[in-house]
Amino acid sequence: MSVSPAIELRNVSLSFEDKRVLSDVSWALGAGETLILLGVTGSGKSVLLKLLLGLLKPEAGQVLIEGQDLVPLPEASLQSIRQRMGIVFQEGALFDSLSVFENVAYRLREEHEDEAAIERRVREVLRFVEMEPAIQKMPSELSGGMRRRVSIARAIASGPSIMLYDSPTGGLDPVTCHTINVLIAKLRDMQHVTSVVVTHRLQDAFVLANYGYSAEKQALVLRKEIGPADSIAPTRFLLLRDSRVYFHGGEQDLIDSPDPYLRRFLA
């Protein structure tokens, strides 16, 4: 029996007034895989994330999450699907009036979890992003990178099977960018989370395509029992241009392409 992709777009088109944003866009992403969305500003990358969350509906086509088409669903039905997804925004989007603990616990409280279970889970995910010592701090006391890590903790607190990242390293210094990329890789490699990453930073895209976090798999690579390419989940690149999919493929395909526009984009 065939397995449905975790995410699939089929012939999706969308316009805002007289501006075509997406034209006949189709792609699919398997469970545990990563798709890196590239394109110049205004090419529709963030719009795609909103479609995946059901916050926007296309004028044509289907948006399927784990086999279920979001397009015909009413808002009430979309909520249960969104609970299986986490999203990290560039700004972090924390509640400034709530502590780190309260921010991470927010969604769990909405799901009426037991308070003791909430505290255990909050500490667990903060430990995962190496932010447990800041559990009682307020967002105003945190650096930009720390806020971003807390936002990742909040997004994964309810155990989503799909993560959406909207420019997660935007505005951060190179060292902090690497820290965030490592966290995304940890989720991919250790918890097999399906990921869609919007980024303007090509270096981040290539780090995610090549970074294998799992210590067990790294050991197998060192013993030459598997190759480096087997040590990480498949990562593909999708480049939007003029409302359409201009490129969709693997890292090496992108690097080796003789296409003039891709060569300029990579440069």
Side-chain angles (χ1 to χ4, degrees), residues 2-233:
S2 62
V3 178
S4 297
I7 300 173
E8 185 176 8
L9 270 67
R10 296 177 181 169
N11 309 110
V12 167
S13 295
L14 178 65
S15 299
F16 294 140
E17 297 180 350
D18 59 347
K19 177 177 173 56
R20 176 68 79 177
V21 180
L22 298 173
S23 299
D24 198 31
V25 170
S26 298
W27 52 267
L29 187 64
E33 297 180 352
T34 298
L35 182 74
I36 298 173
L37 283 176
L38 302 169
V40 299
T41 300
S43 59
K45 302 183 299 298
S46 294
V47 169
L48 271 179
L49 294 190
K50 292 178 180 178
L51 287 168
L52 297 180
L53 287 164
L55 299 174
L56 292 174
K57 290 186 182 289
E59 59 201 40
Q62 295 178 287
V63 180
L64 296 100
I65 300 295
E66 296 175 341
Q68 188 167 12
D69 186 8
L70 305 189
V71 177
L73 296 181
E75 180 64 25
S77 300
L78 289 170
Q79 283 302 110
S80 63
I81 296 175
R82 290 178 187 143
Q83 287 173 356
R84 306 200 297 270
M85 307 167 76
I87 184 163
V88 176
F89 298 97
Q90 176 177 336
E91 298 81 9
L94 299 179
F95 298 113
D96 290 333
S97 60
L98 300 180
S99 68
V100 166
F101 176 88
E102 296 294 335
N103 263 284
V104 178
Y106 189 86
R107 187 163 174 179
L108 298 174
R109 291 225 170 97
E110 282 191 324
E111 296 171 5
H112 308 293
E113 294 281 350
D114 172 79
E115 280 299 318
I118 287 175
E119 178 158 4
R120 285 195 300 272
R121 180 59 177 165
V122 169
R123 288 188 176 278
E124 179 185 356
V125 295
L126 285 174
R127 198 175 304 124
F128 183 84
V129 301
E130 300 178 359
M131 284 297 294
E132 189 179 11
I135 192 168
Q136 296 303 333
K137 291 184 180 292
M138 300 299 290
S140 60
E141 301 177 80
L142 306 178
S143 67
M146 294 168 74
R147 289 171 65 97
R148 210 70 52 89
R149 281 191 276 164
V150 172
S151 70
I152 291 175
R154 184 177 64 181
I156 66 176
S158 58
S161 57
I162 294 171
M163 283 290 294
L164 309 176
Y165 301 91
D166 194 356
S167 300
T169 61
L172 302 178
D173 63 86
V175 173
T176 308
C177 287
H178 182 74
T179 299
I180 300 302
N181 287 327
V182 168
L183 286 176
I184 296 172
K186 282 174 67 175
L187 281 167
R188 176 197 66 201
D189 295 348
M190 298 176 68
Q191 300 186 20
H192 311 293
V193 173
T194 305
S195 305
V196 177
V197 184
V198 168
T199 183
H200 298 280
R201 293 170 49 93
L202 277 172
Q203 57 268 51
D204 290 350
F206 292 128
V207 166
L208 288 172
N210 289 282
Y211 190 95
Y213 187 84
S214 167
E216 178 184 356
K217 288 184 177 179
Q218 295 285 24
L220 292 174
V221 172
L222 290 173
R223 295 202 302 267
K224 302 187 185 305
E225 293 178 31
I226 62 175
D230 302 317
S231 66
I232 55 177

